[in-house]
Amino acid sequence: MNAYSPSGCGGADALATSFSASYAGVIAFIAVVNEGSFARAADRLGIGRSAVSRSVQKLEQQVGARLFSRTTRSTSLTREGEIFFENCHPGVERIAQALDDMRELRDGPPRGQLRIGAPMGFGRKIVAPLLNRFRDAYPDIALDLLLDDRPFDFTGDRVDVAFRNGRMEDSQIVARQLVPMQMFVCATPDYLRQHGDIDSVEALAAHNGIHYRSGSGRIDEWEFKVDGRLRKALPPAMEVFNDTDLVLQAVLDGRGVGQLAGYQVCEYLRSGRLVACLARYAPDDRGHYICYQTRQQLPSRIRVFIDFMIGAIRALDLECGSSLPIGAPMATP
């Protein structure tokens, strides 16, 4: 087989050839062909003429054929050089185009598809309503929002950005806190009038618990900070849901007491539809986070989405703890 038959670059031995051939030599060879001389190729590549010549000579030795016919006045391709150029030039062009495309994705106008993961409650109430504003600002970015309370696997789920609630224990990802995650034990005024105030963690044992079952299948324990220490408690489970919105609705309906995140209940606490109990014992070491895999070389579509969401969510009035009284349940008329 001729050393420069088409299969020399793309046939059965292409893989072996790709390992043995010099990539620097191929680039130098393509540059000389495009520029018409070794000197102009050196200027284009930003290296010395002698370096271009050595790279091409090494490539000729590796393929066992002369690629250029050189005189003091001209440089032209040999027949073997023409075959080599015809076979390898498209591949080099595709590599160059791929590099340009990646640079454009990173540095150019934001575009492409963005796959987002979020917990069901936070995603439905906070993230989804902001997506229209984001699309208005960046119309060339297509959005794919996945709602699931289990933690997303960035690789397996092919997620670009994920929102998470609670405590961050995964050191392999970048997690930026959006706002603190305040947790409130809540009930309606009517429920408390019928069943009595809740003035201590121990008092929860006499109340109807409305509970959330997480993606792991376990019922989430309620957390409190008592005398500077984390304490967990779980009142009798009268109703259990795997959707935090259903937990909220059951509490609003006066069927029991639940521990809910501030973003769900702040408006109801302010309006008086719900009462915050045990506010002095609220845990303070959780958060709502936006997560991604690396700080470096982020495509522009991901960078602008992260910046937009951080600004938009922090601008929302999601923290109501400071407006609530410390101690007994919030007074109601």
Side-chain angles (χ1 to χ4, degrees):
M1 181 183 294
N2 187 300
Y4 255 99
S5 67
S7 63
C9 267
D13 294 330
L15 184 60
T17 301
S18 69
F19 279 102
S20 62
S22 166
Y23 180 71
V26 173
I27 295 299
F29 167 78
I30 296 293
V32 173
V33 176
N34 288 337
E35 298 300 322
S37 76
F38 280 75
R40 286 194 293 272
D43 291 340
R44 176 69 181 274
L45 296 174
I47 59 178
R49 185 181 184 281
S50 60
V52 174
S53 181
R54 285 195 302 271
S55 294
V56 171
Q57 288 174 2
K58 182 177 179 181
L59 180 64
E60 289 176 327
Q61 293 170 2
Q62 289 171 332
V63 301
R66 289 185 62 205
L67 302 177
F68 289 106
S69 176
R70 282 166 275 191
T71 68
T72 56
R73 294 188 176 182
S74 66
T75 299
S76 61
L77 286 170
T78 63
R79 177 55 185 157
E80 288 78 10
E82 291 175 354
I83 295 173
F84 185 78
F85 182 77
E86 290 172 4
N87 282 293
C88 294
H89 180 256
V92 173
E93 286 291 302
R94 283 195 292 270
I95 291 171
Q97 184 61 52
L99 292 172
D100 287 342
D101 289 346
M102 290 301 101
R103 281 191 288 268
E104 184 178 356
L105 284 174
R106 186 188 65 204
D107 302 324
R111 62 182 177 85
Q113 187 173 47
L114 189 66
R115 193 170 172 88
I116 308 148
M120 289 189 288
F122 191 80
R124 190 181 294 121
K125 186 175 179 64
I126 303 300
V127 177
L130 294 172
L131 295 184
N132 284 341
R133 283 171 49 193
F134 179 79
R135 284 277 295 123
D136 289 342
Y138 301 100
D140 293 329
I141 299 179
L143 301 177
D144 183 357
L145 176 63
L146 307 176
L147 299 183
D148 199 319
D149 283 340
R150 65 178 177 82
F152 283 92
D153 181 333
F154 282 88
T155 302
D157 295 320
R158 300 180 64 83
V159 167
D160 297 303
V161 180
F163 293 87
R164 293 187 182 178
N165 299 329
R167 298 184 184 87
M168 292 305 306
E169 299 175 353
D170 188 347
S171 61
Q172 303 302 311
I173 62 173
V174 179
R176 298 176 64 180
Q177 189 179 94
L178 299 164
V179 290
M181 184 179 179
Q182 300 173 302
M183 300 298 295
F184 299 101
V185 173
C186 298
T188 63
D190 283 344
Y191 174 88
L192 293 173
R193 278 192 288 269
Q194 293 176 25
H195 296 84
D197 288 342
I198 304 171
D199 55 9
S200 68
V201 175
E202 290 76 14
L204 288 170
H207 288 267
N208 300 329
I210 310 296
H211 295 295
Y212 168 70
R213 189 184 300 278
S214 68
S216 68
R218 299 177 59 185
I219 294 177
D220 275 6
E221 292 184 290
W222 297 5
E223 295 187 350
F224 303 92
K225 189 175 183 181
V226 182
D227 297 328
R229 295 183 179 180
L230 180 66
R231 181 172 172 183
K232 297 183 179 182
L234 201 63
M238 305 309 294
E239 298 183 44
V240 181
F241 302 96
N242 70 341
D243 187 320
T244 55
D245 284 349
L246 295 178
V247 174
L248 172 61
Q249 189 58 55
V251 173
L252 287 170
D253 291 342
R255 301 203 301 269
V257 57
Q259 190 177 54
L260 294 155
Y263 78 88
Q264 291 183 282
V265 299
C266 278
E267 61 183 288
Y268 301 112
L269 294 175
R270 294 187 182 110
S271 69
R273 285 191 64 187
L274 291 179
V275 172
C277 310
L278 307 176
R280 69 172 69 185
Y281 303 122
D284 58 2
D285 54 354
R286 292 186 176 194
H288 298 289
Y289 297 88
I290 188 168
C291 307
Y292 46 101
Q293 286 188 291
T294 177
R295 293 183 187 275
Q296 300 175 337
Q297 299 173 334
L298 280 175
S300 58
R301 70 183 188 281
I302 297 178
R303 289 203 313 272
V304 296
F305 181 79
I306 292 168
D307 292 342
F308 175 88
M309 282 295 171
I310 289 175
I313 292 175
R314 287 178 178 172
L316 299 175
D317 191 9
L318 300 181
E319 298 184 61
C320 53
S322 60
S323 65
L324 301 179
I326 300 299
M330 190 165 63
T332 56

